[in-house]
Amino acid sequence: MKLLHHIVRKVFQPLFFLALALLPGLSGEAGANERLKLKTVVIDAGHGGKDPGCVSRDGRVYEKNINLDIARKLGSRITDAYPDVKVIYTRSSDVYVTLNNRAEIANRNNANLFISIHVNAASSAQAHGFSTHILGNDKLSSNMDVCRRENSVILLEDDYTTDYQGFDPNDPESFIFFNLMQNAFYEQSLTFAAEADKELVKGPVTHSRGISQDPFWVLWRTKMPAVLVEVGFMSNAADLKKLNSASGRSEIAGRLFQAFRSFKAKYDESLDYSTESTSAAADGYGVQIFVLSKRLAPGDKAFEGYDAEAVPAGGMYKYVIRASSEGAARTLYGKIRKTFPGSFPVRMENGNVSPL
Ligand SMILES: [Zn+2]
């Protein structure tokens, strides 16, 4: 029971930040919809500074430089096509940034999408192709090497045992944490991953190793749809040739840009659609306990025994426990706010949920 409680906390606590982030846009005023569209993307060039990432066999090509170049090319494609989308880089030069700071940059800016760019490597020179990863834990064995490598950046930090909650990149047991968050942005992350996979296969690296769910720390810490792309293998001669050419990197950035374009169209459209369909929720009062992208069944254990209603909002569901009046909503809030940190009393009107 204690463990269950701990798990529920672990899963939902980060979502409250999301609930807060969505608040100003969901107050039901005209133009609220406009404000909920995809406005901010964070592009994360993996590694940097003292952390080169993987290195080519001849020691001349560093992953960190390839990542940065593709990240910047992708960013400028987005800026050119969508001047009102804010493009934020976790690094725009050859500097070292911790995994926590990368996620923190995205969270602080309320980004709608996080794209992390990496290059793969293997002991076999035969392994080749690109792969797309979203957060999860269901294929531990197959991608354990790449996860261990990408996560092991943590070990470069002096205080990693405290800053990373005892997580040890070399201990598969500690990866169990990662299971807990995967439901929150799963669908949206998968949508971008599928677009990326569909585009990247057009080349220059044409072999897709598929989309998988893996325990990458940086994906776990970001509170938004997040995808990590390994654009090819440093250890494969054919892949390396493409990655090491400016035109190859431009092409890869172009593929990722097309994926972004499709994702943005879907993201913006889903908001329009769900705003129209929210009229189903009856007017009244209650306490919003959290927001999820997934629809939980009535009686789900996450509701802690309360009766919560799912109100569609911006491609997500706001979960509200009903109360009979404004006063009752405030009383209920006082009673359950410790059970649901980040909850707040709300009014429901014309399908919109707004704070009291
Ligand atoms: Zn990497």
Side-chain angles (χ1 to χ4, degrees), residues 2 8 33 113 142 184 211 232 255 279-280 284 343:
K2 185 117 181 115
V8 169
N33 211 19
L113 177 64
S142 62
I211 300 168
R255 302 301 177 204
S279 52
S343 61

Side-chain angles (χ1 to χ4, degrees), residues 154-223:
I154 289 171
L155 301 174
L156 293 176
E157 292 173 44
D158 296 338
D159 296 329
Y160 83 87
T161 47
T162 45
D163 291 353
Y164 293 86
Q165 303 168 14
F167 171 72
D168 179 353
N170 290 316
D171 176 14
E173 287 284 300
S174 73
F175 280 47
I176 197 157
F177 275 125
F178 289 108
N179 256 342
L180 307 172
M181 257 303 288
Q182 70 187 36
N183 56 359
F185 302 103
Y186 171 76
E187 298 130 83
Q188 287 172 305
S189 301
L190 184 60
T191 299
F192 182 80
E195 294 294 343
D197 184 72
K198 195 174 90 189
E199 291 297 330
L200 286 168
V201 80
K202 296 172 185 168
V205 175
T206 54
H207 174 61
S208 168
R209 302 173 67 88
I211 300 168
S212 57
Q213 283 185 267
D214 301 295
F216 288 102
W217 181 276
V218 74
L219 298 181
W220 183 53
R221 296 301 286 184
T222 47
K223 301 180 181 95

Side-chain angles (χ1 to χ4, degrees), residues 56-76:
S56 65
R57 284 170 199 277
D58 65 6
R60 288 195 207 164
V61 188
Y62 289 1
E63 175 188 356
K64 63 176 183 176
N65 297 331
I66 293 174
N67 297 342
L68 181 60
D69 192 51
I70 293 173
R72 294 167 90 159
K73 286 180 158 83
L74 170 61
S76 56

Side-chain angles (χ1 to χ4, degrees), residues 263-276:
F263 179 80
K264 177 166 167 45
K266 284 183 184 168
Y267 187 101
D268 294 352
E269 194 180 311
S270 76
L271 295 177
D272 291 342
Y273 172 74
S274 62
T275 304
E276 278 165 31

Side-chain angles (χ1 to χ4, degrees), residues 46-47 51-54 63-64 67 116-120 146 149-151 153 216 228-230:
H47 313 277
D51 169 24
C54 49
E63 175 188 356
K64 63 176 183 176
N67 297 342
S116 188
I117 298 169
H118 285 261
V119 178
N120 215 333
V146 55
R149 202 185 57 249
E150 303 295 12
N151 286 329
V153 178
F216 288 102
L228 186 146
V229 184
E230 300 274 354

Side-chain angles (χ1 to χ4, degrees), residues 226-287:
V227 172
L228 186 146
V229 184
E230 300 274 354
V231 295
F233 275 75
M234 192 72 97
S235 45
N236 176 265
D239 278 10
L240 178 61
K241 198 173 168 197
K242 293 158 190 167
L243 298 172
N244 200 26
S245 90
S247 66
R249 293 191 298 271
S250 292
E251 234 182 301
I252 290 169
R255 302 301 177 204
L256 291 173
F257 168 71
Q258 291 303 335
F260 173 83
R261 179 190 284 278
S262 309
F263 179 80
K264 177 166 167 45
K266 284 183 184 168
Y267 187 101
D268 294 352
E269 194 180 311
S270 76
L271 295 177
D272 291 342
Y273 172 74
S274 62
T275 304
E276 278 165 31
S277 66
T278 51
S279 52
D283 288 359
Y285 298 93
V287 176

